[in-house]
Amino acid sequence: MKLREGEFAPVAAYIREISAIALEPGKEYLVEARLAELARGQSCQSILELIEKSRRDASGALPRKLIDAITTGETQFFRDSAPFDLLRHKLIPELLDRRQRQAVKLPIRIWSAACSTGQELYSVAILLRELVGDSAAAQFRLIGTDLSDQAVARASAGIYNSIEMARGLTDAQRSRFFVADPRGWRIRDELRAMASFRRLNLMTDFSGLGAFDIIFCRNVAIYFAEPDRIRLFDRLGRQLEPQGSLIIGSMESIGSSCPQLESRRHMRAVYYQLKSSSAQTRVA
């Protein structure tokens, strides 16, 4: 099913409206590849007719299906080792030390703001178990959110096929943290209990989630238009605890667009903290 002349612009505008994903001219092939099957399933004669039908859907079910179809969901366990080295060797030890010195009993909260099918947040859970042990892991609260209903459902189930299990996990991690399941491999209950998942559009108000010690928002803003990207990073900064850390994708940068945040470096990893945070090595 091909887009007709003049159809791409209104289709792209609607996709940005419901997901903040900005599709530039030249991405017609992507829209056709990802929405044609859904259009046929909805008995639509064109992709534009699918968009018009989605606009009229007061239940919100069709817009959510459209989002599921258009989003990539590309992820894997321990994707890009640098952020996880940052957690293991700096952020988590410093958080634990600071809580101990201050005698703070509140849980350490970590948010995966675009969790996809859950591998990123479960990678954090695995790292915490390896780093602090089973009993100490109880002091952490992990939250994963994603725009896609399908992704959230899969993350909540915590079941992965053999191909997904081969991407990023060691044999030892698979044996220790997963159990065999008829559908593949399932994350063990004690790790699953550390995490909660819910659907969330990052363009909506998420202040009700509260403040976090660490926020992951990787490889998401690259799909947004510049104004939406700046707004997102600004709002994520407001959700940080005073010494909290924001971790974004290796191909993303905040620069001077959010003056309240400044970049810091540890080994190969770059992360962001509020400027009022204690002085650390800054990235030029």
Short mmCIF file of all heavy atoms in Angstrom, two decimals, residues 2-39:
data_model
loop_
_atom_site.label_atom_id
_atom_site.label_comp_id
_atom_site.label_asym_id
_atom_site.label_seq_id
_atom_site.Cartn_x
_atom_site.Cartn_y
_atom_site.Cartn_z
N LYS A 2 0.78 2.03 -1.05
CA LYS A 2 1.65 3.18 -1.22
C LYS A 2 0.94 4.47 -0.80
O LYS A 2 -0.28 4.61 -0.96
CB LYS A 2 2.07 3.30 -2.69
CG LYS A 2 2.91 2.13 -3.20
CD LYS A 2 4.30 2.15 -2.57
CE LYS A 2 5.18 1.07 -3.17
NZ LYS A 2 6.53 1.06 -2.55
N LEU A 3 1.73 5.41 -0.29
CA LEU A 3 1.20 6.73 -0.03
C LEU A 3 1.00 7.45 -1.36
O LEU A 3 1.85 7.39 -2.25
CB LEU A 3 2.18 7.54 0.83
CG LEU A 3 2.28 7.16 2.31
CD1 LEU A 3 3.50 7.79 2.93
CD2 LEU A 3 1.02 7.58 3.06
N ARG A 4 -0.12 8.13 -1.48
CA ARG A 4 -0.36 8.91 -2.68
C ARG A 4 0.26 10.29 -2.53
O ARG A 4 0.62 10.71 -1.43
CB ARG A 4 -1.87 9.02 -2.92
CG ARG A 4 -2.56 7.66 -3.10
CD ARG A 4 -4.05 7.75 -2.94
NE ARG A 4 -4.70 6.44 -2.95
CZ ARG A 4 -5.92 6.19 -2.57
NH1 ARG A 4 -6.67 7.18 -2.11
NH2 ARG A 4 -6.43 4.97 -2.62
N GLU A 5 0.35 10.98 -3.65
CA GLU A 5 0.95 12.32 -3.62
C GLU A 5 0.17 13.22 -2.66
O GLU A 5 -1.05 13.28 -2.69
CB GLU A 5 0.94 12.91 -5.02
CG GLU A 5 1.65 14.26 -5.10
CD GLU A 5 1.72 14.79 -6.54
OE1 GLU A 5 1.33 14.04 -7.47
OE2 GLU A 5 2.16 15.94 -6.70
N GLY A 6 0.91 13.89 -1.78
CA GLY A 6 0.30 14.81 -0.84
C GLY A 6 -0.16 14.18 0.46
O GLY A 6 -0.62 14.89 1.37
N GLU A 7 -0.07 12.85 0.58
CA GLU A 7 -0.57 12.18 1.78
C GLU A 7 0.45 12.13 2.91
O GLU A 7 0.07 12.02 4.08
CB GLU A 7 -1.02 10.75 1.44
CG GLU A 7 -2.30 10.68 0.64
CD GLU A 7 -2.79 9.26 0.44
OE1 GLU A 7 -1.98 8.32 0.57
OE2 GLU A 7 -3.99 9.09 0.16
N PHE A 8 1.73 12.18 2.58
CA PHE A 8 2.74 11.99 3.62
C PHE A 8 2.65 13.08 4.70
O PHE A 8 2.75 12.78 5.90
CB PHE A 8 4.14 11.97 3.02
CG PHE A 8 5.23 11.85 4.06
CD1 PHE A 8 5.49 10.63 4.68
CD2 PHE A 8 5.99 12.95 4.44
CE1 PHE A 8 6.47 10.51 5.65
CE2 PHE A 8 6.98 12.84 5.40
CZ PHE A 8 7.22 11.62 6.00
N ALA A 9 2.49 14.32 4.30
CA ALA A 9 2.50 15.43 5.27
C ALA A 9 1.42 15.28 6.34
O ALA A 9 1.72 15.37 7.54
CB ALA A 9 2.37 16.77 4.55
N PRO A 10 0.15 15.03 5.99
CA PRO A 10 -0.86 14.86 7.05
C PRO A 10 -0.65 13.61 7.88
O PRO A 10 -0.95 13.59 9.08
CB PRO A 10 -2.19 14.82 6.29
CG PRO A 10 -1.84 14.49 4.89
CD PRO A 10 -0.49 15.06 4.65
N VAL A 11 -0.12 12.55 7.25
CA VAL A 11 0.16 11.33 8.01
C VAL A 11 1.26 11.61 9.04
O VAL A 11 1.16 11.25 10.22
CB VAL A 11 0.56 10.18 7.07
CG1 VAL A 11 1.10 9.00 7.88
CG2 VAL A 11 -0.62 9.75 6.23
N ALA A 12 2.35 12.25 8.60
CA ALA A 12 3.47 12.57 9.49
C ALA A 12 3.04 13.51 10.61
O ALA A 12 3.47 13.37 11.76
CB ALA A 12 4.62 13.18 8.69
N ALA A 13 2.17 14.47 10.28
CA ALA A 13 1.69 15.41 11.30
C ALA A 13 0.90 14.68 12.38
O ALA A 13 1.05 14.98 13.58
CB ALA A 13 0.83 16.48 10.64
N TYR A 14 0.08 13.71 11.99
CA TYR A 14 -0.71 12.97 12.98
C TYR A 14 0.19 12.09 13.84
O TYR A 14 -0.01 12.00 15.07
CB TYR A 14 -1.77 12.13 12.28
CG TYR A 14 -2.63 11.35 13.24
CD1 TYR A 14 -3.53 12.00 14.09
CD2 TYR A 14 -2.55 9.96 13.33
CE1 TYR A 14 -4.32 11.30 14.98
CE2 TYR A 14 -3.34 9.25 14.21
CZ TYR A 14 -4.22 9.92 15.04
OH TYR A 14 -5.00 9.22 15.93
N ILE A 15 1.17 11.46 13.24
CA ILE A 15 2.09 10.62 14.00
C ILE A 15 2.84 11.45 15.04
O ILE A 15 3.00 11.05 16.19
CB ILE A 15 3.08 9.90 13.05
CG1 ILE A 15 2.33 8.83 12.25
CG2 ILE A 15 4.23 9.28 13.83
CD1 ILE A 15 3.14 8.21 11.15
N ARG A 16 3.26 12.65 14.65
CA ARG A 16 3.92 13.52 15.63
C ARG A 16 2.95 13.95 16.72
O ARG A 16 3.31 14.01 17.90
CB ARG A 16 4.50 14.76 14.93
CG ARG A 16 5.22 15.68 15.91
CD ARG A 16 5.80 16.90 15.24
NE ARG A 16 6.40 17.80 16.23
CZ ARG A 16 6.90 18.99 15.96
NH1 ARG A 16 6.91 19.44 14.71
NH2 ARG A 16 7.41 19.74 16.92
N GLU A 17 1.71 14.18 16.36
CA GLU A 17 0.70 14.60 17.33
C GLU A 17 0.49 13.56 18.42
O GLU A 17 0.35 13.90 19.60
CB GLU A 17 -0.61 14.87 16.60
CG GLU A 17 -1.77 15.28 17.48
CD GLU A 17 -3.06 15.42 16.68
OE1 GLU A 17 -2.99 15.80 15.50
OE2 GLU A 17 -4.13 15.14 17.25
N ILE A 18 0.47 12.28 18.06
CA ILE A 18 0.14 11.24 19.04
C ILE A 18 1.37 10.61 19.68
O ILE A 18 1.26 9.93 20.71
CB ILE A 18 -0.73 10.14 18.43
CG1 ILE A 18 0.00 9.39 17.31
CG2 ILE A 18 -2.05 10.71 17.95
CD1 ILE A 18 -0.75 8.18 16.78
N SER A 19 2.57 10.83 19.08
CA SER A 19 3.74 10.13 19.60
C SER A 19 4.97 11.01 19.76
O SER A 19 5.96 10.59 20.37
CB SER A 19 4.11 8.96 18.67
OG SER A 19 4.61 9.46 17.44
N ALA A 20 4.95 12.23 19.19
CA ALA A 20 6.09 13.15 19.16
C ALA A 20 7.18 12.70 18.18
O ALA A 20 8.18 13.38 18.03
CB ALA A 20 6.70 13.38 20.53
N ILE A 21 6.98 11.57 17.51
CA ILE A 21 7.96 11.11 16.53
C ILE A 21 7.86 11.99 15.28
O ILE A 21 6.79 12.13 14.69
CB ILE A 21 7.73 9.65 16.16
CG1 ILE A 21 7.96 8.76 17.39
CG2 ILE A 21 8.62 9.21 15.01
CD1 ILE A 21 7.58 7.31 17.18
N ALA A 22 8.98 12.60 14.90
CA ALA A 22 9.01 13.50 13.74
C ALA A 22 9.56 12.75 12.53
O ALA A 22 10.71 12.31 12.54
CB ALA A 22 9.87 14.73 14.05
N LEU A 23 8.73 12.60 11.52
CA LEU A 23 9.12 11.92 10.29
C LEU A 23 9.33 12.97 9.20
O LEU A 23 8.42 13.69 8.83
CB LEU A 23 8.04 10.92 9.87
CG LEU A 23 7.78 9.77 10.84
CD1 LEU A 23 6.57 8.96 10.38
CD2 LEU A 23 9.00 8.87 10.96
N GLU A 24 10.55 13.03 8.71
CA GLU A 24 10.88 14.00 7.66
C GLU A 24 10.57 13.41 6.29
O GLU A 24 10.51 12.19 6.12
CB GLU A 24 12.36 14.37 7.76
CG GLU A 24 12.75 15.00 9.09
CD GLU A 24 14.24 15.25 9.19
OE1 GLU A 24 14.97 14.79 8.28
OE2 GLU A 24 14.66 15.90 10.15
N PRO A 25 10.37 14.28 5.29
CA PRO A 25 10.20 13.79 3.92
C PRO A 25 11.36 12.86 3.54
O PRO A 25 12.51 13.13 3.88
CB PRO A 25 10.21 15.08 3.08
CG PRO A 25 9.70 16.12 4.03
CD PRO A 25 10.25 15.75 5.38
N GLY A 26 11.03 11.80 2.88
CA GLY A 26 12.02 10.77 2.59
C GLY A 26 11.77 9.51 3.40
O GLY A 26 12.36 8.46 3.13
N LYS A 27 10.88 9.60 4.40
CA LYS A 27 10.54 8.45 5.24
C LYS A 27 9.23 7.79 4.80
O LYS A 27 8.64 7.02 5.55
CB LYS A 27 10.42 8.89 6.70
CG LYS A 27 11.71 9.43 7.31
CD LYS A 27 12.73 8.31 7.53
CE LYS A 27 13.94 8.84 8.29
NZ LYS A 27 14.94 7.77 8.53
N GLU A 28 8.81 8.11 3.60
CA GLU A 28 7.56 7.53 3.10
C GLU A 28 7.60 6.00 3.14
O GLU A 28 6.62 5.35 3.50
CB GLU A 28 7.28 8.01 1.68
CG GLU A 28 6.88 9.47 1.57
CD GLU A 28 8.08 10.42 1.48
OE1 GLU A 28 9.23 9.96 1.68
OE2 GLU A 28 7.85 11.61 1.22
N TYR A 29 8.76 5.45 2.78
CA TYR A 29 8.89 3.99 2.75
C TYR A 29 8.65 3.38 4.13
O TYR A 29 8.07 2.30 4.26
CB TYR A 29 10.29 3.60 2.26
CG TYR A 29 11.39 3.91 3.24
CD1 TYR A 29 11.83 2.95 4.16
CD2 TYR A 29 11.96 5.17 3.30
CE1 TYR A 29 12.82 3.25 5.08
CE2 TYR A 29 12.95 5.48 4.22
CZ TYR A 29 13.37 4.51 5.10
OH TYR A 29 14.34 4.81 6.03
N LEU A 30 9.10 4.08 5.18
CA LEU A 30 8.94 3.57 6.54
C LEU A 30 7.46 3.55 6.93
O LEU A 30 6.97 2.58 7.50
CB LEU A 30 9.75 4.44 7.51
CG LEU A 30 9.81 3.98 8.97
CD1 LEU A 30 11.15 4.38 9.59
CD2 LEU A 30 8.69 4.60 9.80
N VAL A 31 6.75 4.63 6.62
CA VAL A 31 5.33 4.70 6.91
C VAL A 31 4.58 3.60 6.17
O VAL A 31 3.72 2.90 6.74
CB VAL A 31 4.77 6.09 6.53
CG1 VAL A 31 3.24 6.10 6.63
CG2 VAL A 31 5.36 7.16 7.45
N GLU A 32 4.92 3.42 4.90
CA GLU A 32 4.25 2.38 4.10
C GLU A 32 4.51 0.98 4.67
O GLU A 32 3.60 0.16 4.78
CB GLU A 32 4.74 2.46 2.66
CG GLU A 32 4.29 3.72 1.94
CD GLU A 32 5.03 3.96 0.64
OE1 GLU A 32 6.04 3.25 0.38
OE2 GLU A 32 4.62 4.86 -0.12
N ALA A 33 5.77 0.73 5.04
CA ALA A 33 6.14 -0.60 5.53
C ALA A 33 5.47 -0.92 6.86
O ALA A 33 5.09 -2.07 7.11
CB ALA A 33 7.66 -0.69 5.67
N ARG A 34 5.28 0.08 7.71
CA ARG A 34 4.79 -0.19 9.06
C ARG A 34 3.29 -0.02 9.23
O ARG A 34 2.72 -0.55 10.19
CB ARG A 34 5.54 0.70 10.06
CG ARG A 34 7.03 0.36 10.12
CD ARG A 34 7.74 1.10 11.19
NE ARG A 34 9.16 0.73 11.20
CZ ARG A 34 10.08 1.30 11.98
NH1 ARG A 34 9.73 2.25 12.82
NH2 ARG A 34 11.33 0.91 11.92
N LEU A 35 2.66 0.71 8.32
CA LEU A 35 1.23 0.98 8.52
C LEU A 35 0.33 0.28 7.50
O LEU A 35 -0.89 0.24 7.68
CB LEU A 35 0.96 2.49 8.47
CG LEU A 35 1.61 3.33 9.58
CD1 LEU A 35 1.12 4.77 9.49
CD2 LEU A 35 1.34 2.75 10.95
N ALA A 36 0.92 -0.27 6.43
CA ALA A 36 0.09 -0.88 5.39
C ALA A 36 -0.73 -2.05 5.93
O ALA A 36 -1.94 -2.16 5.67
CB ALA A 36 0.97 -1.33 4.23
N GLU A 37 -0.10 -2.92 6.70
CA GLU A 37 -0.82 -4.08 7.23
C GLU A 37 -1.94 -3.66 8.17
O GLU A 37 -3.04 -4.22 8.13
CB GLU A 37 0.16 -5.02 7.94
CG GLU A 37 -0.50 -6.29 8.46
CD GLU A 37 0.49 -7.24 9.12
OE1 GLU A 37 1.71 -7.00 9.04
OE2 GLU A 37 0.03 -8.23 9.74
N LEU A 38 -1.67 -2.67 9.01
CA LEU A 38 -2.71 -2.19 9.92
C LEU A 38 -3.86 -1.57 9.13
O LEU A 38 -5.03 -1.78 9.48
CB LEU A 38 -2.11 -1.16 10.88
CG LEU A 38 -3.07 -0.54 11.90
CD1 LEU A 38 -3.70 -1.60 12.80
CD2 LEU A 38 -2.35 0.52 12.74
N ALA A 39 -3.53 -0.83 8.08
CA ALA A 39 -4.59 -0.22 7.26
C ALA A 39 -5.48 -1.29 6.64
O ALA A 39 -6.72 -1.18 6.66
CB ALA A 39 -3.96 0.66 6.17
#
